[in-house]
Amino acid sequence: MMRTRPLKVALLGCGVVGSEVARIMTTHADDLAARIGAPVELAGVAVRRPDKVRGGVPAELITTDATALVKRGDIDVVVEVIGGIEPARTLITTAFEHGASVVSANKALLAQDGASLYAAAEQHGQDLYYEAAVAGAIPLIRPLRESLVGDKINRVMGIVNGTTNFILDKMDSTGAGYQEALDEATALGYAEADPTADVEGFDAAAKAAILAGIAFHTRVRLDDVYREGMTEVTAADFASAKEMGCTIKLLAICERAADGESVTARVHPAMIPLSHPLASVREAYNAVFVEAEAAGQLMFYGPGAGGSPTASAVLGDVVAVCRNRLNEATGPGESAYTQLPVSSMGEVVTRYHISLDVADKPGVLAQVATVFAEHGVSIDTVRQQGKDGEASLVVVTHRAPDAALSGTVEALRKLDTVRGVASIMRVEGE
């Protein structure tokens, strides 16, 4: 039997995502009510610019006083899609204090201060759901929190930023340089006017922190995530990758150490074999590859951004939270019981692809090989090409601690026969 009194939803933000949330709530009201077991009503929309035309949102619902909206007391669910740290953090905690559960898409806040938000939700007996914070429409957070909660996850590796994947895909498929591909992404609306958060890996790092925390049942903050942008990736790097049967992706990688005693989280460009499922992810799509002990290898794929895809994830959470309220229950909260330490990047074991500009004369390869040996790094393959006294030397290593590889590169820079280090890139997915 359906309850007649509606569950009330307050919407904080009515931009690209928020406007889609409002539209779907209105156009699919009957379906949502049937799925929830009670009508759901948009009770208020907090915005910064009240005079902006917002089709489908009744003017009487618009307010600039977000604090008053979340304090009303009759609100069941607050949907936060304004982003940033403040005032989002204060508004969310205020919503908990006044009896509302929260659905958020705020990856930056969750990565920086998720523990305190979880604590506030638990203190006041409310839900905190955030499927839309990572990978847009792709169901990922809920499978990790619920479907795989009985399993042991050892690795999560994925493409979690559509802008960077679009740029790298264009560089790979057309031979374009970085700036040319970025310009195309901007023209098509995939890249912001200031793309720093995307191309320097900040966006992906926030998502990596969230994924690592859930996957490994431990607290991982944004500051724990090693971050390296993709602005230095060149057409020459793609040429080298193709010679190895690889392509290049900006990856978020969260791993449990082999001994199970620590975890790592990192974001950086990497070469991956064309045979790996992530290598075929094109355009602005996202995909996340999960390796679990019992379930084996799983991949989640789909559109990772945009108004409609992200709104789909938001509304999925709204339905789940509303069902919980009808049943006078709450969903899963924070699971950080393992309290595993987060290791530094230097302890990560990986492979390297190193391209050196060297003098074209006898003994250079022997000098380079000696440096690798002195730092305990084993060489897998070497490729050398020379002409007119100059040469390029491409070395691919076996797996070794990142600190050892970094020390090797620094030592190589000091050799008289090494003119420069043209590129350094990690090799993943093998």
Side-chain angles (χ1 to χ4, degrees):
M1 181 177 178
M2 182 175 292
R3 193 181 81 166
T4 56
R5 185 177 70 81
L7 292 156
K8 295 187 177 183
V9 176
L11 180 59
L12 307 183
C14 197
V16 173
V17 176
S19 60
E20 275 297 292
V21 171
R23 183 190 67 79
I24 295 172
M25 284 189 63
T26 302
T27 58
H28 299 325
D30 291 343
D31 286 339
L32 291 172
R35 294 165 191 171
I36 292 169
V40 60
E41 173 188 315
L42 186 60
V45 181
V47 299
R48 287 185 298 174
R49 297 187 294 276
D51 297 331
K52 182 179 177 181
V53 177
R54 294 175 172 86
V57 180
E60 63 269 18
L61 295 183
I62 300 294
T63 178
T64 57
D65 194 342
T67 301
L69 179 59
V70 300
K71 282 183 174 182
R72 274 178 36 173
D74 65 334
I75 299 297
D76 293 285
V77 184
V78 170
V79 174
E80 183 271 306
V81 288
I82 57 178
I85 306 302
E86 289 291 356
R89 174 168 44 200
T90 298
L91 290 170
I92 289 172
T93 55
T94 301
F96 291 145
E97 292 166 2
H98 288 79
S101 289
V102 172
V103 171
S104 176
N106 196 331
K107 56 188 171 289
L109 178 57
L110 288 160
Q112 178 173 307
D113 211 15
S116 67
L117 297 181
Y118 270 125
E122 182 178 2
Q123 178 184 352
H124 297 286
Q126 304 300 328
D127 273 323
L128 173 63
Y129 275 54
Y130 47 90
E131 184 67 64
V134 180
I138 304 172
L140 181 60
I141 300 298
R142 193 172 289 117
L144 291 176
R145 291 175 86 184
E146 299 176 27
S147 304
L148 295 172
V149 73
D151 207 339
K152 180 181 180 182
I153 297 174
N154 292 317
R155 197 173 201 229
V156 179
M157 180 171 75
I159 298 162
V160 294
N161 183 277
T163 300
T164 54
N165 199 58
F166 180 89
I167 293 170
L168 292 172
D169 182 47
K170 289 302 173 184
M171 292 177 70
D172 185 27
S173 60
T174 69
Y178 167 76
Q179 189 60 51
E180 183 182 351
L182 173 59
D183 290 343
E184 182 176 354
T186 304
L188 292 173
Y190 291 123
E192 302 287 344
D194 180 0
T196 302
D198 294 326
V199 300
E200 293 295 351
F202 291 101
D203 175 84
K207 296 169 182 176
I210 294 170
L211 291 174
I214 298 170
F216 306 132
H217 303 280
T218 198
R219 286 180 180 168
V220 180
R221 290 171 49 89
L222 181 58
D223 292 345
D224 295 322
V225 181
Y226 172 84
R227 178 193 54 78
E228 193 177 302
M230 49 157 280
T231 57
E232 301 301 318
V233 177
T234 66
D237 291 326
F238 274 100
S240 292
K242 287 181 179 179
E243 290 182 3
M244 289 179 58
C246 293
T247 188
I248 299 171
K249 299 291 185 181
L250 184 74
L251 298 178
I253 303 172
C254 312
E255 291 179 306
R256 188 190 300 269
D259 62 5
E261 298 300 315
S262 63
V263 299
T264 57
R266 50 195 166 104
V267 169
H268 54 73
M271 294 182 178
I272 59 171
L274 294 175
S275 58
H276 194 282
L278 291 176
S280 61
V281 178
R282 309 298 299 273
E283 299 285 329
Y285 277 76
N286 284 191
V288 177
F289 199 73
V290 177
E291 298 177 23
E293 200 164 88
Q297 297 179 334
L298 309 169
M299 191 163 103
F300 301 83
Y301 170 84
S308 294
T310 306
S312 171
V314 169
L315 266 298
D317 279 351
V318 169
V319 169
V321 170
C322 286
R323 287 172 174 171
N324 289 345
R325 290 183 80 82
L326 289 181
N327 293 322
E328 298 182 348
T330 55
E334 182 184 31
S335 177
Y337 72 92
T338 63
Q339 299 182 10
L340 294 173
V342 182
S343 298
S344 68
M345 185 63 192
E347 297 176 65
V348 171
V349 177
T350 187
R351 298 179 68 201
Y352 262 54
H353 175 282
I354 304 171
S355 180
L356 304 171
D357 295 327
V358 300
D360 186 13
K361 62 182 183 180
V364 173
L365 180 56
Q367 285 184 326
V368 169
T370 297
V371 170
F372 278 91
E374 288 174 346
H375 288 80
V377 178
S378 176
I379 294 175
D380 183 14
T381 63
V382 178
R383 187 173 70 255
Q384 184 173 5
Q385 293 178 325
K387 184 178 180 181
D388 298 330
E390 297 296 329
S392 63
L393 192 65
V394 176
V395 179
V396 179
T397 73
H398 285 291
R399 289 168 60 83
D402 198 81
L405 289 161
S406 297
T408 301
V409 172
E410 289 307 307
L412 289 171
R413 294 182 193 274
K414 297 176 182 177
L415 292 178
D416 292 339
T417 51
V418 174
R419 307 286 191 242
V421 179
S423 70
I424 308 168
M425 193 166 297
R426 296 173 182 87
V427 182
E428 298 287 345
E430 295 183 311

